[in-house]
Amino acid sequence: MVINRRILTLDEFTIQQMRAFPHATGELASLLRDIGLAAKRVNVEVNKAGLVDILGDAGAVNVQGEDVKKLDVYANNQFMGVLKHGISCAGIGSEELDDFIAFDDPVSNNSKYVCLFDPLDGSGNIDVNVSIGTIFSVYRRVSPLGTPAVREDFLQAGIHQVAAGYIVYGSSTMLVYATRRGVNGFTLDPSIGEFSLSHPDIKCPDFGKIYSVNHGNFFQYEKSVQDYIQQCQKKNKDTGGPYTQRYIGSMVSDLHRNLIKGGIFMYPATIDKPKGKLRLLYECNPFAFILEVAGGKATNGKQRVLDIVPTELHQRSPLFIGSKGMMEELETYLKA
Ligand code: AHM
Ligand code: MG
């Protein structure tokens, strides 16, 4: 059997990254390894979702009044479990939990990071075999080492993220993560059960041809957003329009595609949801960080997403995110 030693696994890559930082403690590498492990476990369950009695609602309603799917609960427990038993995370916040959890044991209290995640985003799509994903973000805690994590550790502006990433359970399973140094994508190689570096140093093209938005809500959007959407549909030799509309309804898949191919994704405020639908801490901030590191932009329509100082864990925000050139075009409409 020929082993391709040029392809690095996730662990090899994160350890190699540490070589550039002689003072690195390895905590972030260890945290990413824990997340990779939980992702592999969730992947196994997602793949057999059609076979076992794991489909359907778990019978509970989460803090945001939405049905909780069984796989959401499973994924939440997996990510929480690896982080709790690891050595790098002082506590977590999750879309599926009412409040943050400080792990509060001697090792966790001496860990410098906290982690926020949406364990299974797009879970309304599970029953119909459409790609879903996990989103995570990592912050350095602001509370003193040696003490349990506190709310302020989680309520930091997105600009303070140390790392952010996602796992897309798609036609193949991929883990993509960003640090300030770059965005890298790893595809799960089922033959060895390892995430292997397949998409090094991802850059989001400045322009693309895709716009992603829920058209069903069109008449609920502000006029400026409606005008921009109509512009996307018009012939325009300067922008390359008309653009192509692609909307899976699974943010991780929609944004993964647009990150690679170039494009713009919008979840604007609507009359029914004046604050938007997506959660600032679990969905908007991690993707805003990833896209910005990759060369793109993200705003809530008024300000840069990463500058928003959150006041609540489950806060929602409108989101406009994507290729830099397309975002600048959109901004001319939003300003008008
Ligand atoms: P969820 O966290 O409950 O799964 O909801 C988030 C999802 C995103 O993945 C997706 O972009 C959006 O909801 C789709 O919402 P809509 O069906 O309103 O267009
Ligand atoms: Mg979600």
Side-chain angles (χ1 to χ4, degrees):
M1 185 172 129
V2 180
I3 297 177
N4 186 346
R5 289 304 308 162
R6 285 176 305 168
I7 298 184
L8 294 174
T9 67
L10 175 65
D11 291 354
E12 287 175 319
F13 180 83
T14 50
I15 287 165
Q16 198 183 71
Q17 294 286 297
M18 279 172 57
R19 286 170 166 246
F21 293 99
H23 302 296
T25 59
E27 274 189 74
L28 185 61
S30 141
L31 192 140
L32 289 165
R33 196 198 53 222
D34 292 344
I35 289 175
L37 173 62
K40 285 189 255 183
R41 290 183 177 149
V42 172
N43 179 58
V44 170
E45 294 307 312
V46 168
N47 276 328
K48 61 184 186 197
L51 294 172
V52 290
D53 181 30
I54 203 151
L55 278 169
D57 300 341
V61 168
N62 74 8
V63 66
Q64 291 147 57
E66 298 151 339
D67 286 341
V68 176
K69 303 282 174 179
K70 282 183 184 175
L71 264 176
D72 290 11
V73 178
Y74 179 84
N76 189 57
N77 291 343
Q78 287 304 322
F79 284 99
M80 197 165 74
V82 289
L83 294 171
K84 182 169 169 54
H85 293 113
I87 53 160
S88 321
C89 185
I92 55 150
S94 160
E95 192 182 300
E96 297 303 335
L97 298 172
D98 294 359
D99 206 352
F100 72 92
I101 294 181
F103 292 143
D104 197 9
D105 60 70
V107 175
S108 303
N109 289 349
N110 277 302
S111 303
K112 65 179 173 207
Y113 297 116
V114 294
C115 210
L116 288 148
F117 56 92
D118 182 350
L120 216 51
D121 183 70
S123 52
N125 284 323
I126 298 170
D127 295 6
V128 287
N129 209 354
V130 170
S131 299
I132 48 181
T134 296
I135 312 167
F136 62 90
S137 74
V138 181
Y139 292 81
R140 190 168 285 117
R141 58 191 292 193
V142 291
S143 55
L145 279 181
T147 61
V150 298
R151 189 168 304 278
E152 288 67 39
D153 295 328
F154 298 90
L155 293 181
Q156 299 188 54
I159 191 68
H160 298 301
Q161 286 170 101
V162 172
Y166 60 86
I167 298 110
V168 57
Y169 310 98
S171 38
S172 56
T173 296
M174 269 190 81
L175 185 153
V176 175
Y177 84 89
T179 63
R180 264 164 226 288
R181 305 181 65 202
V183 185
N184 290 281
F186 302 80
T187 302
L188 184 61
D189 178 348
S191 63
I192 55 168
E194 293 284 356
F195 284 105
S196 303
L197 182 63
S198 53
H199 295 60
D201 199 19
I202 298 172
K203 299 280 183 230
C204 181
D206 277 352
F207 288 93
K209 292 214 65 163
I210 296 169
Y211 75 104
S212 309
V213 70
N214 186 337
H215 264 281
N217 292 334
F218 182 85
F219 293 106
Q220 294 208 41
Y221 299 143
E222 278 180 12
K223 170 108 182 19
S224 56
V225 176
Q226 292 178 342
D227 288 348
Y228 174 71
I229 292 173
Q230 283 177 332
Q231 178 57 40
C232 291
Q233 299 167 338
K234 285 185 187 148
K235 230 179 167 34
N236 183 332
K237 65 175 171 28
D238 295 329
T239 65
Y243 296 153
T244 297
Q245 146 74 359
R246 291 281 180 269
Y247 189 73
I248 297 170
S250 210
M251 181 187 194
V252 177
S253 319
D254 276 314
L255 278 171
H256 177 66
R257 181 200 53 236
N258 290 8
L259 170 67
I260 307 278
K261 292 192 166 184
I264 191 162
F265 173 97
M266 299 172 272
Y267 206 109
T270 63
I271 295 167
D272 292 345
K273 298 186 177 104
K275 293 181 177 166
K277 174 182 184 186
L278 301 173
R279 293 79 172 168
L280 177 63
L281 271 62
Y282 312 115
E283 292 163 332
C284 305
N285 269 339
F287 272 111
F289 183 82
I290 297 164
L291 262 290
E292 282 206 11
V293 174
K297 289 184 87 172
T299 77
N300 67 356
K302 296 192 169 61
Q303 71 176 127
R304 182 185 180 205
V305 169
L306 295 180
D307 287 338
I308 302 172
V309 179
T311 52
E312 290 168 43
L313 281 175
H314 295 287
Q315 185 168 333
R316 296 183 192 254
S317 170
L319 179 65
F320 302 87
I321 184 166
S323 293
K324 185 163 172 276
M326 296 173 86
M327 284 293 296
E328 284 166 358
E329 185 194 352
L330 165 75
E331 277 162 358
T332 62
Y333 284 79
L334 298 183
K335 280 191 191 116

